Amino acid sequence: MRLYGICILAALSRFALAAIVPANSTGNASWPYRTYKTVNFTLPVLDITHHTKPSEGYLFFAPDGATEYQMAPLIMDMYGELVWNGADEHAFGFGVQNYDGEEVLVWWNGSLYAEPIGRGNGVVRMYNKHYEQIHVTSLPGNFLEQVPNATFPSNIDLHEIFLTKNGSMLVTANNVTQSDLTSVGGPAKGWVVEAQFYEIDIATNQVLFEWKSLEHLAQLPFTASLYPLGSEGYTGANQSLAWGYFHINAVSPYDGGYLISSRFLCSAIAINRDGSVKWRLQGRNGGDFTLGNGTDFCYQHNIRAIPEQPSSNTSSITLHMHDNHNSPIENGTVPSSGKSLQVDLGTKHVTLNQRYLNASGPIYSTAQGNYQPLPDGNVFIGHGWIPVLEEFSHSGEILTTIQFGAAEQRPAGGFNPSLKPTLSYRAFKQPWVGCPKTKPVVVAESSSNGTTVYVSWNGATEVEAWEVYGGNATDLTCLKTVLKEGFETAVEVEAAVKFVQVKPRLQRVDHDRKGCTEAVASDVVSVDA
């Protein structure tokens, strides 16, 4: 097969608007979704409100839950156009992190236990910029779950993926076991869910460090839990009714050790390298600290410390989090928000830096969510259980709202949690360069004016234009070159041809950015009559 002719950019392409299927018009869709000519994707239509022009970055989220129409990790732009649609699977914590000097995609996949258990047993997948799987991190072992006799090849929980600078990964896990619950009015041989976290070397899958909550009851007792024994029926009477008193949902490096988040202790907890508790900041009574105005929090997610490694003369750190302030047992009382707290380690006092809350559209999320500081000073918030993403200025002004699923609206504005939600455990706004090694996909159809060619390349971020060739199966000449528009571009060719092929024209790579260098041509396809 030979390509003839020099393809010169002749005209702008006609933007190929993907078909929008309204909610409830087919299947079980509770939210409008898009379809395409070239691929069988059915991703949600994004309802986006920009109060100002958005800064650069792609959206990374993974619709899941009881009412999502398509479950998959998604990369989309800030105007709702698809960039990459991953496999149909659970993808908790989906986003970009750095491993061995390269940007990679990571997500958790496995067996999921819905709320009120709200955990999972699985693995962490890692993909490179070519969308090739390069690592699968696992945690084998004899773990017990609340389902008797259930066993899993890997027991990494869905709540955390943190890639360290040392080539390791921090993950959470859980183990159902027996413990004395008489201190909280339970049986002496009661059943609880022990919270755990692990540091695992990515290259070898060897465990470097492990921590288990039941080994630290002197500092973190059952009586500290704000999820009373018996809540939602979890009495601790047997394995199936094990009491999840702790519920670990975040772990990150901090001061030579670790910082963890306990949802039901409503606490940020600093852990020494030997596993002992350095300090505990409790969001209701302060714990080892006193709380200033507006610094209270509870049932929080995604706690992080800045700096991760404070110097010897550092007297304070910043903690940020998604403050759910709601749980299934305390629902609809305080709206969820992002919070930035200044923690003085000398005076043991906490001051509010900023609360990120859209007062005109408050969101009452009972589970999940995250807080992401952006390089330009803005803050990106994912609300987990409620399918709404928000971007704020550093001073707290709402800049963008993005909805990707149905949610229960409040009469005065904002959203309540649903019993059957569409969710994304975390969501991020991040840069990314995707260079797929798969071929672009082409569909060509005869039209009254000649031929209409549809082309897409799942995951490609660097395509500037499409070169369209046509003719017979072995001799193809340049028909037209058009700028890429959206995920799927439609090209009207004023010629009736039997075969077409499309080749991407990539953006020029300069020394400041890592682009793609290989322009992979599509297969030669026949034109449908």
Side-chain angles (χ1 to χ4, degrees), residues 181-187 229:
L181 298 179
T182 56
S183 63
V184 287
L229 181 66

Side-chain angles (χ1 to χ4, degrees), residues 247-283:
H247 197 101
I248 188 170
N249 59 25
V251 55
S252 57
Y254 171 69
D255 197 20
Y258 308 91
L259 181 72
I260 64 175
S261 170
S262 167
R263 179 183 182 187
F264 288 141
L265 266 60
C266 293
S267 296
I269 306 165
I271 304 296
N272 290 308
R273 188 65 189 182
D274 63 4
S276 61
V277 175
K278 183 193 300 284
W279 49 256
R280 178 166 74 102
L281 170 58
Q282 207 265 18

Side-chain angles (χ1 to χ4, degrees), residues 478-494:
C478 176
L479 302 177
K480 184 179 285 189
T481 299
V482 297
L483 293 176
K484 177 181 182 290
E485 293 282 356
F487 176 77
E488 183 180 87
T489 302
V491 186
E492 295 287 355
V493 177
E494 294 78 21

Side-chain angles (χ1 to χ4, degrees), residues 261-404:
S261 170
S262 167
R263 179 183 182 187
F264 288 141
L265 266 60
C266 293
S267 296
I269 306 165
I271 304 296
N272 290 308
R273 188 65 189 182
D274 63 4
S276 61
V277 175
K278 183 193 300 284
W279 49 256
R280 178 166 74 102
L281 170 58
Q282 207 265 18
R284 289 264 172 97
N285 61 30
D288 297 328
F289 298 81
T290 58
L291 298 176
N293 292 335
T295 62
D296 58 312
F297 62 89
C298 207
Y299 312 118
Q300 75 292 330
H301 286 75
N302 194 215
I303 286 181
R304 297 286 193 253
I306 301 173
E308 291 179 2
Q309 303 297 334
S311 61
S312 58
N313 59 358
T314 299
S315 61
S316 68
I317 59 172
T318 298
L319 291 185
H320 59 68
M321 69 185 71
H322 182 268
D323 178 19
N324 291 79
H325 230 106
N326 288 280
S327 75
I329 62 171
E330 188 177 320
N331 192 2
T333 53
V334 180
S336 305
S337 63
K339 278 191 176 177
S340 173
L341 307 179
Q342 198 69 25
V343 180
D344 192 310
L345 301 173
T347 64
K348 299 290 186 179
H349 183 70
V350 183
T351 305
L352 179 67
N353 289 329
Q354 188 60 253
R355 185 186 190 197
Y356 297 94
L357 169 68
N358 181 7
S360 64
I363 295 173
Y364 292 75
S365 180
T366 58
Q368 309 180 8
N370 68 294
Y371 176 120
Q372 180 196 3
L374 300 176
D376 61 3
N378 291 349
V379 172
F380 192 76
I381 303 291
H383 286 287
W385 195 256
I386 293 178
V388 176
L389 318 175
E390 298 178 312
E391 184 172 347
F392 295 86
S393 69
H394 178 71
S395 59
E397 177 188 8
I398 184 69
L399 302 177
T400 297
T401 59
I402 303 164
Q403 186 174 353
F404 61 89

Side-chain angles (χ1 to χ4, degrees), residues 372-518:
Q372 180 196 3
L374 300 176
D376 61 3
N378 291 349
V379 172
F380 192 76
I381 303 291
H383 286 287
W385 195 256
I386 293 178
V388 176
L389 318 175
E390 298 178 312
E391 184 172 347
F392 295 86
S393 69
H394 178 71
S395 59
E397 177 188 8
I398 184 69
L399 302 177
T400 297
T401 59
I402 303 164
Q403 186 174 353
F404 61 89
E408 180 185 331
Q409 294 187 337
R410 294 171 60 87
F415 298 97
N416 285 320
S418 168
L419 292 176
K420 294 183 177 181
T422 293
L423 58 89
S424 180
Y425 172 62
R426 289 177 180 171
F428 304 97
K429 180 180 179 181
Q430 297 173 299
W432 173 248
V433 173
C435 308
K437 291 187 176 180
T438 56
K439 296 179 180 180
V441 180
V442 173
V443 171
E445 300 174 345
S446 296
S447 68
S448 58
N449 296 324
T451 307
T452 303
V453 180
Y454 300 88
V455 57
S456 68
W457 198 9
N458 190 30
T461 62
E462 306 302 282
V463 177
E464 180 178 62
W466 295 110
E467 299 176 357
V468 181
Y469 296 82
N472 62 41
T474 57
D475 294 312
L476 303 177
T477 60
C478 176
L479 302 177
K480 184 179 285 189
T481 299
V482 297
L483 293 176
K484 177 181 182 290
E485 293 282 356
F487 176 77
E488 183 180 87
T489 302
V491 186
E492 295 287 355
V493 177
E494 294 78 21
V497 294
K498 293 184 177 181
F499 295 91
V500 298
Q501 184 178 32
V502 179
K503 182 179 180 180
R505 181 180 293 180
L506 303 182
Q507 299 179 40
R508 181 177 297 175
V509 178
D510 57 39
H511 67 279
D512 293 325
R513 55 190 298 274
K514 297 179 179 180
C516 306
T517 58
E518 185 176 0

